[in-house]
Amino acid sequence: MQRIAILSDIHGNMPALEAVLADISKRGIKRIICLGDLAGKGPNPIEAVDRIRDCCEIVIRGNWDELIGRQLTDKLPFTWHEDRLGAERLQYLANLPFSYDMEMSGKRIRLVHASPQSVYHRVQPWDSEERRLGMFDNTPETGKSEEDPKPEVVGYGDIHNVYVQHMERRMLFNVGSVGNALDMIQASYAIMEGTEGGSALEPFSIQLVRVPYDIELAVQHALKASVPEMEMYIRELRTGVYRGLQQ
């Protein structure tokens, strides 16, 4: 049986990232996959990008990675991070792959940041069943055609809400966010366990892990760096409530 840690949405929060990596190490897990959004929002984009590059065997592209790496907007919440990351890191983010497919315990598994349609196509656990089933579609972005077999398991990040659901004999799971959790005020990641490769059906599991970290240290980092939209970011860290829902 192999175990792979899957994490996402670091958002430049180093206290949260180091807490998660320490938990992964304590469990003896050697393999890590990241589902994107390394930078953005938080105060330490350089450290987050470099740490993820160093410890993850696979990193896929998130919406913040695309917007920052490809410099698609001139809005301050994005350009602040661009100015600090430098040309080489920006190129790294811009060129990250869209998705990653693998097999484990006889199941076809796909990992994306937001959906197989786009890094900006957001799917929530309470969305319609039709919309959630669309997470299993083959699209040009995934490099698969409609004739190819669909994945049986899909894991993603983006929404910062942790869950597992089963629909039509398929499994959909979200790993939540390391650095900007919006369901409770602890970092999150997933552990995927099974027998990698081959077509034989073997035991398979997804474990969702919550990790406490020093939120006030992350707040101090944000204050020191004077990140854009700092008050909203700090409220998200302390409350787990998305800024769009805050009064």
Side-chain angles (χ1 to χ4, degrees):
M1 300 284 282
Q2 289 85 42
R3 291 187 298 164
I4 303 174
I6 307 175
L7 47 81
S8 189
D9 294 85
I10 317 305
H11 285 293
N13 183 340
M14 289 307 295
L17 177 57
E18 292 300 347
V20 165
L21 293 178
D23 189 72
I24 291 170
S25 177
K26 188 186 301 181
R27 296 169 188 265
I29 299 172
K30 305 297 184 184
R31 303 178 61 192
I32 306 175
I33 294 175
C34 180
L35 306 186
D37 278 8
L38 284 60
K41 288 192 172 185
N44 297 111
I46 293 173
E47 294 86 347
V49 170
D50 290 352
R51 192 77 168 95
I52 289 296
R53 291 177 76 172
D54 181 61
C55 71
C56 295
E57 66 177 60
I58 301 292
V59 182
I60 65 176
R61 185 174 75 252
N63 54 306
W64 281 80
D65 304 319
E66 182 166 295
L67 288 166
I68 292 171
R70 299 180 182 180
Q71 300 175 294
L72 298 179
T73 175
D74 59 1
K75 294 181 179 179
L76 181 60
F78 301 91
T79 59
W80 188 93
H81 301 278
E82 294 169 11
D83 293 342
R84 283 152 180 79
L85 285 167
E88 193 276 334
R89 291 185 186 89
L90 292 177
Q91 184 177 33
Y92 168 77
L93 294 178
N95 293 330
L96 289 172
F98 178 82
S99 61
Y100 178 67
D101 284 38
M102 61 182 293
E103 289 192 356
M104 179 175 274
S105 294
K107 299 180 183 298
R108 294 182 298 275
I109 299 167
R110 176 171 297 148
L111 302 174
V112 295
H113 176 71
S115 82
Q117 286 76 31
S118 165
V119 294
Y120 308 107
H121 181 251
R122 188 153 291 161
V123 177
Q124 298 284 2
W126 51 80
D127 284 344
S128 69
E129 184 174 276
E130 180 182 10
R131 186 174 177 88
R132 285 176 284 133
L133 284 172
M135 292 293 289
F136 300 93
D137 288 347
N138 290 327
T139 65
E141 286 77 10
T142 66
K144 302 291 185 179
S145 70
E146 293 183 2
E147 288 73 32
D148 291 317
K150 290 184 177 182
E152 297 156 301
V153 179
V154 169
Y156 71 115
D158 182 56
I159 60 172
H160 303 202
N161 282 281
V162 179
Y163 75 94
V164 176
Q165 292 181 355
H166 294 83
M167 296 173 293
E168 297 188 2
R169 300 173 300 281
R170 301 177 188 272
M171 177 188 290
L172 179 64
F173 72 96
N174 191 283
V175 303
S177 171
V178 169
N180 188 213
L182 296 176
D183 51 3
M184 63 185 296
I185 52 172
Q186 290 184 339
S188 66
Y189 74 100
I191 299 170
M192 187 166 64
E193 184 172 20
T195 302
E196 188 172 1
S199 58
L201 291 175
E202 299 282 351
F204 175 82
S205 68
I206 297 291
Q207 180 181 359
L208 300 175
V209 184
R210 304 308 299 231
V211 182
Y213 72 96
D214 191 338
I215 291 174
E216 291 308 311
L217 177 58
V219 168
Q220 290 305 310
H221 287 182
L223 290 169
K224 183 177 180 180
S226 295
V227 295
E229 301 180 337
M230 181 169 57
E231 291 185 4
M232 288 189 290
Y233 172 68
I234 290 173
R235 283 202 300 272
E236 286 182 344
L237 294 184
R238 286 174 169 166
T239 67
V241 178
Y242 176 56
R243 62 190 63 188
L245 300 177
Q246 294 169 356
Q247 298 298 320

